[in-house]
């Protein structure tokens, strides 16, 4: 009797099971109520066409791919990949979902996994990318890995996301837009070309001019075209940027710095480095803190002696 040939589906399923076993990622069915949305997820969760497609797919075919989660303590799990699929499960009243449990060495590794999952699966808006890059920048700053130089910051974020530095800078520029202009761009009332142009730091003083032009114009024409005309007019007018703000009072600067030092001191006193912490890395960072404090002490003494 001829040996029955395995189907493609069963072969793929077995391959996936073997890969999961090798990586110690056995799939578990976890209660939906035990899953937490990841606070580092800044991608849109709007119930748009993409979400409706996900909802329909989960309803008809179930979960074609497992949710990726990481332990969040006390029997709860934080979502790393699959926020919209879990949202669809909640909306459909499902009690549990198939999950792969992964642990990450630090916050940055978890964020990179979260971003990687979304970058390859979704049609992301430029503002989704801008907000997620802002979160990446915040995490790098918290871990003491963010350079002071802005271009070096963009280069590091480009390495973390496999984007070009110019692309990272372009996305981050969108965060400069005020609430009105952001709403226009995200709502399709302004082209992204105009949004990117206005978001450049050299054009920020044009925001009120553009908004005033639009508010006084005849609204019979297409709104994005009207905004484009307003941007073109504002740029052609070559309006001077506002005068620079006056330098803060030296004494106010010293007082503000003193408050910052007190806050940092309180945070350091409350800091607990448990056994799971990388002790050698912690020692190096604390040694750097002491060196910075010594440099600060010398600067303060020099300033005091000059009075």
């Amino acid at each position: 009797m001829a040996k029955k040939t395995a189907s493609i589906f069963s072969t793929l399923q077995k391959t996936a099971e073997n890969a999961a076993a090798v990586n110690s990622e056995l799939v578990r069915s976890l209660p939906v109520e035990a899953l937490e949305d990841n606070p580092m997820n800044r991608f849109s969760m709007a119930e748009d066409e993409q979400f409706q497609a996900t909802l329909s797919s989960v309803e008809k075919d179930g979960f074609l791919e497992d949710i990726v989660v990481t332990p969040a303590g006390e029997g709860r799990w934080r979502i790393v990949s699959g926020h919209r699929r879990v949202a669809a499960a909640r909306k459909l009243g499902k009690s549990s979902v198939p999950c792969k449990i992964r642990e990450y060495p630090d916050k940055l590794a978890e964020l990179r996994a979260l971003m990687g999952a979304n970058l390859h699966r979704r049609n992301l808006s430029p503002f989704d990318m801008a907000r997620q890059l802002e979160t990446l920048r915040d995490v790098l700053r918290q871990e003491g890995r963010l350079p002071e130089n802005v271009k070096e910051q963009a280069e590091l974020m480009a390495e973390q996301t496999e984007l070009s530095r110019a692309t990272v800078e372009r996305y981050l520029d969108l965060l400069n837009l005020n609430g009105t202009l952001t709403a226009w761009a995200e709502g399709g009332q302004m082209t992204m070309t105009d949004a990117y142009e206005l978001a450049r730091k050299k054009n920020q003083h044009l925001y009120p001019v553009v908004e005033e032009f639009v508010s006084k114009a005849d609204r019979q024409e297409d709104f994005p075209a009207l905004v484009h005309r307003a941007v073109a007019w504002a740029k052609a007018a070559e309006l001077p940027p506002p005068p620079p703000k006056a330098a803060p009072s030296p004494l106010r600067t010293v007082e503000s710095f003193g408050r910052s030092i007190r806050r940092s001191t309180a945070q350091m006193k409350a800091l607990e480095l448990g056994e799971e912490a990388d002790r050698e890395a912690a020692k190096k960072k604390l040694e750097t803190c002491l060196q910075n404090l010594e440099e600060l002490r010398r600067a303060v003494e020099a300033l005091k002696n000059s009075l």
Side-chain angles (χ1 to χ4, degrees):
M1 184 175 178
K3 187 176 180 180
K4 186 176 180 181
T5 304
S7 68
I8 293 177
F9 176 77
S10 63
T11 302
L12 288 173
Q13 189 176 37
K14 189 164 290 185
T15 302
E17 289 172 356
N18 291 339
V22 168
N23 291 302
S24 301
E25 291 178 351
L26 297 177
V27 178
R28 290 177 56 182
S29 181
L30 295 177
V32 171
E33 62 182 18
L35 304 185
E36 299 178 355
D37 291 340
N38 200 311
M40 293 191 292
N41 179 45
R42 298 288 299 280
F43 295 115
S44 173
M45 292 295 290
E47 295 189 4
D48 52 15
E49 289 184 10
Q50 290 187 66
F51 176 79
Q52 294 302 327
T54 299
L55 187 68
S56 177
S57 174
V58 170
E59 186 174 25
K60 292 178 181 177
D61 305 315
F63 291 87
L64 302 177
E65 192 171 355
D66 303 318
I67 310 299
V68 177
V69 298
T70 193
E74 299 182 358
R76 300 192 64 79
W77 312 89
R78 189 166 55 250
I79 303 169
V80 176
S81 173
H83 283 83
R84 289 196 305 170
R85 282 171 284 155
V86 173
R90 289 171 180 150
K91 202 170 185 68
L92 294 170
K94 292 187 177 292
S95 59
S96 62
V97 291
C99 297
K100 285 179 181 175
I101 300 170
R102 294 179 184 170
E103 295 191 21
Y104 299 92
D106 52 38
K107 198 172 182 180
L108 179 60
E110 181 179 334
L111 176 58
R112 288 181 61 184
L114 184 154
M115 292 182 70
N118 282 280
L119 288 174
H120 295 100
R121 288 190 179 93
R122 297 179 58 177
N123 295 323
L124 301 170
S125 80
F127 287 92
D128 277 339
M129 288 302 305
R131 295 180 185 111
Q132 199 62 61
L133 285 169
E134 182 181 36
T135 299
L136 174 59
R137 185 170 57 189
D138 291 343
V139 171
L140 288 168
R141 182 182 292 112
Q142 292 165 14
E143 297 197 351
R145 298 178 58 177
L146 190 70
E148 291 186 9
N149 182 276
V150 175
K151 285 193 174 180
E152 290 179 1
Q153 291 179 11
E155 286 174 356
L156 178 58
M157 285 189 279
E159 291 174 7
Q160 298 290 332
T161 56
E162 299 183 358
L163 300 170
S164 70
R165 192 192 79 189
T167 300
V168 168
E169 290 176 337
R170 215 167 168 230
Y171 283 139
L172 288 175
D173 278 349
L174 292 175
L175 299 173
N176 296 328
L177 294 174
N178 65 21
T180 298
L181 299 179
T182 297
W184 286 355
E186 290 200 276
Q189 294 176 294
M190 175 167 61
T191 67
M192 285 309 304
T193 300
D194 286 332
Y196 283 125
E197 183 62 26
L198 278 178
R200 298 171 70 181
K201 289 185 178 179
K202 69 175 186 178
N203 290 330
Q204 290 181 41
H205 65 288
L206 301 180
Y207 296 176
V209 181
V210 169
E211 291 179 34
E212 184 179 9
F213 184 100
V214 171
S215 67
K216 293 181 178 179
D218 183 358
R219 294 297 184 88
Q220 290 183 354
E221 67 178 303
D222 179 65
F223 197 87
L226 172 59
V227 174
H228 178 74
R229 191 154 60 86
V231 173
W233 180 86
K235 288 179 62 182
E238 297 184 354
L239 303 169
K245 295 181 179 179
S249 163
L251 289 180
R252 286 191 61 186
T253 300
V254 171
E255 289 174 1
S256 175
F257 182 70
R259 289 194 296 271
S260 176
I261 289 292
R262 287 194 292 274
R263 283 196 300 270
S264 296
T265 301
Q267 290 171 354
M268 290 293 284
K269 287 181 177 179
L271 188 64
E272 295 182 6
L273 297 174
E275 294 183 359
E276 71 279 2
D278 187 334
R279 307 186 81 75
E280 288 303 316
K283 287 179 181 178
K284 289 180 181 179
K285 289 182 183 295
L286 291 172
E287 185 62 37
T288 301
C289 285
L290 290 174
Q291 292 171 4
N292 292 337
L293 285 173
E294 179 58 27
E295 184 179 351
L296 171 63
R297 187 193 64 77
R298 291 195 297 267
V300 171
E301 285 288 345
L303 183 59
K304 183 180 175 183
N305 292 335
S306 69
L307 297 175

